[in-house]
Amino acid sequence: MATLLALMLFVSFLATFVFGELPSQMATQEFLHQSQVEDQLGRLQGSILGAANALNGNGSSYLSNPVTLNSGGVPPFGTPSTGSVLIEPTYVGATAAFGISNVTAANVGWNHGSSCFSTGSGTCTTGTGTEVYNFSGNRSTVSPTVAGCAAAGCSVVYNVTGSSNTLSLTLSGANVGNILFQVSGNWDNLTLTDAGTCNIHQSVTVIFSGNNDSYTLSVSGCTTGAGANLNTTFVGSSGTLCPYGNAATSNTWKGATWGSSTKIYQNLTWQNAFGITSPPNSISVNGGHNQLTFANQSGYFQCLFTNAKTSGPYTLHFLSGVRVMLNNRYTPASSVAYDQGAVILGENNGGSVMVSPPQASYVQEPFGVAYSLTLVSLVQSSGAASGLGTVAVVSSILSETTYNIIDGRHGNSYLPYIYLNFTTAFPQAWATYFSHQSPIAPDGATCIPGPGGTAANCLTPLNGGLSTISVPINASEFTLNIIVAQVSIG
């Protein structure tokens, strides 16, 4: 009887341990193993960056980093969970695509145009198509008027270059359609007076390319009819560099008088190179009959009265990475990857977080954002291992190349666009990373589902699925460091 009682106590103790304490202890072991592998791939990340620097200094470019495959066990019943390490397939990778524009002054026939404007001021009353005038001068008073059109929806293009000018544009009469008024210069002041009937919908676009300019709106017409959309953009500039930093803030909206107008929508946008964006902020004015909207935008803007010849896209490709699969039994199975220069933790449900980002930096210089990024491309890499124990990830740095492109400060070459695209099993990690880099990625990232994926699970593809994260980059200076390495697993 005593033996049977002792046996029952032992079985009870064993059951309590196996079903109670053992899972908790093994979960701890698996968590510690995951942290260990994160640290090991973090050291691989640092070693590759260090070896690339050593290569430039004629040092050794070979290195070996351990990766532990198994978690610790809890004897005698808690056996370690296994792991595996492999090179990601070549369709996992990144691309950098950018264009280069060569900008030159446009051949504009200044102080010439439609005869109705009469040396720049004057009144157009018989427009049937498009009326154009190009004015050049400084410290001048320029007062063109569009007094209705003979044909419904006629168009007017009025260009101004020069500084310290007092400008006024008056719209009156019927049939006024599309108006484009462009000003390149500093300390220019424009008053737009809209006294038209708005019997058809007006579309008025005003663009300032310069600094310390101002704009005033006065509406006395449009009391009935189809109304008008007025779109005004301020672009701070320096020479042929547009926008220049946040110089657009020197440009001023001086307000409006609305009269009895209705259906007037005035949109005001300040364009900068600092990655400062804000969604349109709209307010109702004039008793709710009209609307005033303010916004900030960022990115390349071709300066007024220039021609741009764009070449590209120039595309650079970066291949694969190293992935460690953790076959956990007491915690969710997961992966730790050295993915295109970053260390990432991914769960098999598709979620992922960035443990250590790629080597990157940005600085807001007076002219705009200077952005530097290092991406790693693994070529001719091979090998895999699984089970228990520790394996070596042996790396050899083959080359390091740096591309540096500067917007317009040492010539006439500009960056109209830069895109980074990451095809990865860890899109959530990359999208989240760029969401916190607002000066260089003010518009955030777009997720494109891979084969078999959907928009719903684009950021969290199931194990084995891929998505592409596409990021438009805002930079006035872009430095891209490319490390090419070969990796073997043994």
Side-chain angles (χ1 to χ4, degrees):
M1 181 64 70
T3 301
L4 180 60
L5 181 59
L7 183 60
M8 291 176 62
L9 289 172
F10 174 75
V11 172
S12 176
F13 169 79
L14 180 61
T16 300
F17 176 76
V18 171
F19 295 105
E21 294 184 27
L22 180 61
S24 176
Q25 293 181 19
M26 283 300 300
T28 299
Q29 292 294 330
E30 290 177 349
F31 173 77
L32 292 174
H33 178 225
Q34 175 183 292
S35 299
Q36 180 185 26
V37 174
E38 290 175 9
D39 290 341
Q40 289 171 334
L41 291 193
R43 286 194 289 272
L44 172 65
Q45 179 191 43
S47 296
I48 286 179
L49 294 174
N53 292 332
L55 179 68
N56 292 330
N58 297 318
S60 173
S61 65
Y62 294 89
L63 54 131
S64 178
N65 291 89
V67 172
T68 303
L69 299 181
N70 62 282
S71 69
V74 180
F77 302 107
T79 58
S81 60
T82 63
S84 59
V85 58
L86 68 157
I87 302 296
E88 291 184 308
T90 55
Y91 48 78
V92 174
T95 60
F98 57 92
I100 298 177
S101 288
N102 184 262
V103 178
T104 56
N107 184 17
V108 179
W110 293 111
N111 296 315
H112 178 75
S114 299
S115 58
C116 61
F117 280 117
S118 178
T119 68
S121 289
T123 301
C124 272
T125 57
T126 59
T128 58
T130 300
E131 303 291 345
V132 179
Y133 198 90
N134 306 313
F135 176 84
S136 177
N138 298 304
R139 301 178 182 84
S140 301
T141 298
V142 184
S143 306
T145 297
V146 179
C149 297
C154 73
S155 299
V156 173
V157 177
Y158 202 101
N159 300 315
V160 176
T161 183
S163 297
S164 301
N165 292 307
T166 300
L167 311 170
S168 63
L169 171 65
T170 301
L171 308 178
S172 64
N175 296 334
V176 176
N178 299 311
I179 307 295
L180 174 62
F181 199 97
Q182 302 183 112
V183 183
S184 177
N186 304 318
W187 303 100
D188 290 315
N189 303 296
L190 169 65
T191 298
L192 170 61
T193 299
D194 196 337
T197 66
C198 288
N199 64 308
I200 64 172
H201 188 267
Q202 292 181 8
S203 178
V204 182
T205 300
V206 177
I207 301 173
F208 291 92
S209 175
N211 310 313
N212 299 291
D213 298 319
S214 67
Y215 170 68
T216 304
L217 175 64
S218 174
V219 186
S220 58
C222 294
T223 57
T224 59
N229 275 78
L230 313 176
N231 297 290
T232 305
T233 302
F234 298 105
V235 185
S237 66
S238 176
T240 57
L241 182 57
C242 297
Y244 182 85
N246 200 19
T249 57
S250 68
N251 298 313
T252 306
W253 156 249
K254 287 193 171 181
T257 55
W258 302 99
S260 300
S261 61
T262 62
K263 302 178 184 176
I264 303 295
Y265 300 91
Q266 171 68 71
N267 303 306
L268 296 147
T269 302
W270 283 260
Q271 187 86 13
N272 66 84
F274 275 177
I276 301 170
T277 62
S278 62
N281 178 26
S282 298
I283 58 175
S284 295
V285 293
N286 200 31
H289 296 296
N290 302 315
Q291 183 173 286
L292 186 60
T293 301
F294 302 87
N296 291 290
Q297 292 184 353
S298 191
Y300 174 80
F301 193 102
Q302 185 178 329
C303 288
L304 296 177
F305 316 133
T306 62
N307 292 322
K309 183 178 181 180
T310 301
S311 57
Y314 299 102
T315 304
L316 303 170
H317 298 274
F318 311 88
L319 302 176
S320 67
V322 176
R323 187 170 182 178
V324 182
M325 311 288 291
L326 305 179
N327 303 319
N328 299 326
R329 303 194 309 276
Y330 295 87
T331 58
S334 60
S335 299
V336 182
Y338 177 57
D339 188 65
Q340 299 155 86
V343 178
I344 296 175
L345 170 66
E347 302 289 348
N348 280 6
N349 64 5
S352 57
V353 295
M354 190 167 289
V355 177
S356 180
Q359 181 171 271
S361 64
Y362 64 83
V363 179
Q364 289 185 329
E365 300 284 2
F367 55 85
V369 177
Y371 178 46
S372 176
L373 173 68
T374 297
L375 293 177
V376 178
S377 183
L378 302 185
V379 300
Q380 302 175 356
S381 298
S382 61
S386 61
L388 305 173
T390 299
V391 298
V393 178
V394 180
S395 306
S396 173
I397 307 301
L398 303 181
S399 67
E400 182 180 23
T401 306
T402 298
Y403 293 84
N404 182 252
I405 306 171
I406 301 175
D407 243 2
R409 289 177 292 121
H410 302 291
N412 292 318
S413 293
Y414 298 84
L415 287 165
Y417 63 86
I418 308 168
Y419 280 90
L420 297 176
N421 301 299
F422 298 87
T423 299
T424 175
F426 313 103
Q428 188 177 48
W430 283 105
T432 302
Y433 168 72
F434 280 106
S435 72
H436 294 100
Q437 310 295 311
S438 57
I440 60 168
D443 297 320
T446 300
C447 188
I448 304 168
T454 65
N457 65 8
C458 188
L459 289 176
T460 55
L462 297 179
N463 190 35
L466 300 175
S467 298
T468 297
I469 295 297
S470 181
V471 188
I473 297 298
N474 170 69
S476 298
E477 180 175 350
F478 182 42
T479 301
L480 180 61
N481 301 309
I482 303 171
I483 297 174
V484 179
Q486 183 179 31
V487 170
S488 61
I489 298 171

